[in-house]
Amino acid sequence: MPVSRPALVSAGRWVAVLIPVAELGLVRSGVLGARNAVLVGVLLELLVAVVVVGEVAVFRRSYRRVRAEGGSRSAAAGAGFRAAWPPAVTALAAAELGLWRALWWGVRRRQDVGPGDRPLPYADRFALVTGAVVCLGALELGVVHVLTARWPMLRWALFALGLYALFWMLSFGLSLWQRPHLLRDDELVLRFGHFRAIRVPLAGLCGAARAVDAGHRRSVVLDGDRLALPVMSDTNVELRFDPPVAVEVKGRMRDVGRIAFYADDPRSAVALLREGPLSPEH
């Protein structure tokens, strides 16, 4: 049965990631001797080079396309990496870069809010949890560092891992504060740190109300024509659209008639939506 081109492209994306790992594993495990390791290594590196050249070409095409459409350099680079790398790799890389950027923005006290944007924060309930985890983690890091003094290698390995975990948690909390929901004249951007951003056009908005709904088991819940974007399993604002609005959810366009999300101050969020984007006839 012939293999489709998308399948070949998807497999090719993984080649450059997996081949060096496999090569290192074969050499380290002793499966390959020195002479065979050199020969196999050269052949594998040639294969990697071919794949990398192809990925560079894919990246370049995607980058130029986004730039020609008026996109920023960062948006074009993101599109290029998504086209050239496997989705799992790009997602992990984006998450990692986003966390380190959150630390840098934290030092500068910067938020991703434009001049005409009205922020709708949602991160207050995370503040206590993040602070408690960071403080307890720092205490635990010190205790483990003392208890493992007899095993220097283990001691410093656990110290590095614990320090990274602390920075990760701190960056996570900062990213939620730095990237609130944004209300604009023609759209609502519903975000969760740098992990999620869903743009909702507001042309068909016909209703906005407080509506508490708890117990969501996933961060994105699509049930019929209703889309829920909870924070800590809760939503407290619901929007109604007539006709249904098309939004991109997990890489696919969906028509939704209701969208529920969480805001720290749902009363103010509803008031802003009613006095701005909500159609006067509704």
Side-chain angles (χ1 to χ4, degrees), residues 41-51:
V42 170
L43 293 176
L44 291 179
E45 291 303 326
L46 287 175
L47 180 57
V48 170
V50 172
V51 174

Side-chain angles (χ1 to χ4, degrees), residues 143-228:
V143 171
V144 171
H145 196 63
V146 172
L147 293 178
T148 56
R150 295 177 57 186
W151 304 279
M153 185 176 295
L154 177 63
R155 182 189 197 191
W156 289 108
L158 291 176
F159 181 81
L161 184 61
L163 193 62
Y164 173 80
L166 285 178
F167 278 124
W168 192 97
M169 192 65 194
L170 180 61
S171 300
F172 172 74
L174 287 172
S175 72
L176 301 181
W177 172 77
Q178 293 162 358
R179 296 176 180 272
H181 302 316
L182 298 179
L183 178 60
R184 295 166 177 164
D185 291 337
D186 58 347
E187 71 174 1
L188 174 66
V189 184
L190 298 174
R191 306 196 284 191
F192 186 73
H194 63 276
F195 300 98
R196 181 183 72 211
I198 295 180
R199 299 179 178 275
V200 181
L202 295 175
L205 180 65
C206 64
R210 296 181 61 186
V212 177
D213 188 7
H216 295 93
R217 296 185 177 182
R218 297 188 301 273
S219 60
V220 178
V221 181
L222 188 60
D223 183 12
D225 72 337
R226 184 177 186 269
L227 174 64

Side-chain angles (χ1 to χ4, degrees), residues 239-252:
L239 309 179
R240 291 184 293 107
F241 295 86
D242 186 17
V245 64
V247 298
E248 184 177 352
V249 183
K250 296 182 178 180
R252 297 180 59 185

